[in-house]
Amino acid sequence: MSSLDMEDIKRRMKGAISNLGSEFSGLRAGRASVAMLDPVIVDAYGSKMPLSQLSNISVPESRLLSVSVWDASLVNSVEKAIRESGLGLNPQVEGLIIRVPIPELSEDRRKDMVKVASKYSEAARISVRNIRRDAIETIRKDEKSGAISEDERHNYESDVQKVTDNFVGEIDAMLVKKENDITSI
C-alpha cells in the first residue's frame, strides 16, 4: 500500500489556488480596495510580516488608501514595502499615516498589472508542480521499498499528473479572467 495521500495533495494544491486568489484580489483595476495591499510584506522586527499585521488599512475615498501604522519605528519600512511591492503605488507619509493614491489606469499601468498577474500565476503553477514532485518522490520510494508494484507506481503517477493538470488549468483560467478584468476597464 502506498503512503501517498491524494486528499492531502489536493488540499495543498487548493492552498496554492487560494493564495493566488488572494494575490489577484490585490490587483484592483483603478479603484481602491483594502485587499490591494494584501500581497505587501514588510521587513519588521527582524522578520517578514504582512502589512495587515502592522497597520490598519482603510479606504477614505474611491481612489485613496489610508494605512495607519501602529508602530512609529515601522513607518519607513511600510512605505518602502508598498513602494517596492510591484503594484505601481506611490505612498506618501504623513506622520503615522501613509496615504496611497490609486493611479488612473493608463495602458502602461494595465500592462504592468497583467505582468504582475502573470508572475503570481507562474508562482502558483510552480507551487503545484512542487507538490506533484514531492508526491512522485513518495510514490517512487514506495516502489523501491516494495510497498507497491511498478504497475501501481504508473497508476499513482498518472493520478497525480491528472490532479496537477486540473489545478494548473484552474490557475490558467483564473489568469485569463484576471487579465480580462484588468484590460476591460
Side-chain angles (χ1 to χ4, degrees), residues 50-63:
L51 177 59
S52 59
Q53 292 181 7
L54 303 168
S55 64
N56 187 29
I57 305 167
S58 61
V59 184
E61 299 172 27
S62 66
R63 304 192 58 77

Side-chain angles (χ1 to χ4, degrees), residues 37 51 56 64-69 74-80 82 90-101:
L37 298 179
L51 177 59
N56 187 29
L64 181 70
L65 290 171
S66 177
V67 180
S68 178
V69 183
L74 295 177
V75 170
N76 289 336
S77 297
V78 168
E79 186 253 352
K80 181 180 179 195
I82 294 169
N90 190 18
Q92 298 152 0
V93 178
E94 297 174 15
L96 292 178
I97 306 284
I98 300 174
R99 300 201 186 285
V100 186

Side-chain angles (χ1 to χ4, degrees), residues 8 13-14 31 37 44 66 96 109 126 140 142 153 162 164 167:
D8 182 56
M13 288 183 180
K14 282 179 187 164
R31 254 190 48 229
L37 298 179
S66 177
L96 292 178
R109 178 78 181 111
I126 289 169
R140 291 187 178 158
D142 287 347
R153 174 181 61 86
K162 285 177 190 162
T164 301
F167 279 100

Side-chain angles (χ1 to χ4, degrees), residues 14-144:
K14 282 179 187 164
I17 298 280
S18 172
N19 187 44
L20 178 62
S22 61
E23 286 179 329
F24 275 178
S25 71
L27 285 176
R28 277 288 192 285
R31 254 190 48 229
S33 161
V34 173
M36 287 180 82
L37 298 179
D38 283 352
V40 176
I41 303 296
V42 181
D43 286 323
Y45 309 118
S47 64
K48 297 194 177 297
M49 299 178 71
L51 177 59
S52 59
Q53 292 181 7
L54 303 168
S55 64
N56 187 29
I57 305 167
S58 61
V59 184
E61 299 172 27
S62 66
R63 304 192 58 77
L64 181 70
L65 290 171
S66 177
V67 180
S68 178
V69 183
W70 297 324
D71 183 343
S73 67
L74 295 177
V75 170
N76 289 336
S77 297
V78 168
E79 186 253 352
K80 181 180 179 195
I82 294 169
R83 189 176 307 282
E84 295 176 354
S85 66
L87 297 173
L89 301 173
N90 190 18
Q92 298 152 0
V93 178
E94 297 174 15
L96 292 178
I97 306 284
I98 300 174
R99 300 201 186 285
V100 186
I102 308 304
E104 278 290 334
L105 274 185
S106 65
E107 196 55 41
D108 288 344
R109 178 78 181 111
R110 288 177 206 270
K111 287 177 185 171
D112 290 346
M113 286 179 76
V114 168
K115 284 180 190 169
V116 171
S118 296
K119 188 176 80 176
Y120 289 160
S121 296
E122 185 55 28
R125 280 189 214 96
I126 289 169
S127 179
V128 166
R129 289 185 201 121
N130 286 341
I131 295 164
R132 177 191 62 194
R133 185 199 61 226
D134 293 346
I136 299 284
E137 284 177 9
T138 299
I139 293 166
R140 291 187 178 158
K141 283 180 190 168
D142 287 347
E143 182 192 20
K144 206 173 227 175

Side-chain angles (χ1 to χ4, degrees), residues 135-182:
I136 299 284
E137 284 177 9
T138 299
I139 293 166
R140 291 187 178 158
K141 283 180 190 168
D142 287 347
E143 182 192 20
K144 206 173 227 175
S145 71
I148 61 173
S149 69
E150 186 178 345
D151 287 344
E152 287 174 311
R153 174 181 61 86
H154 283 293
N155 290 339
Y156 284 131
E157 286 180 357
S158 174
D159 291 346
V160 168
Q161 187 59 49
K162 285 177 190 162
V163 169
T164 301
D165 291 344
N166 287 341
F167 279 100
V168 168
E170 196 173 328
I171 290 167
D172 292 343
M174 289 172 71
L175 176 59
V176 166
K177 183 180 183 309
K178 191 62 183 181
E179 285 176 346
N180 289 338
D181 289 349
I182 292 169

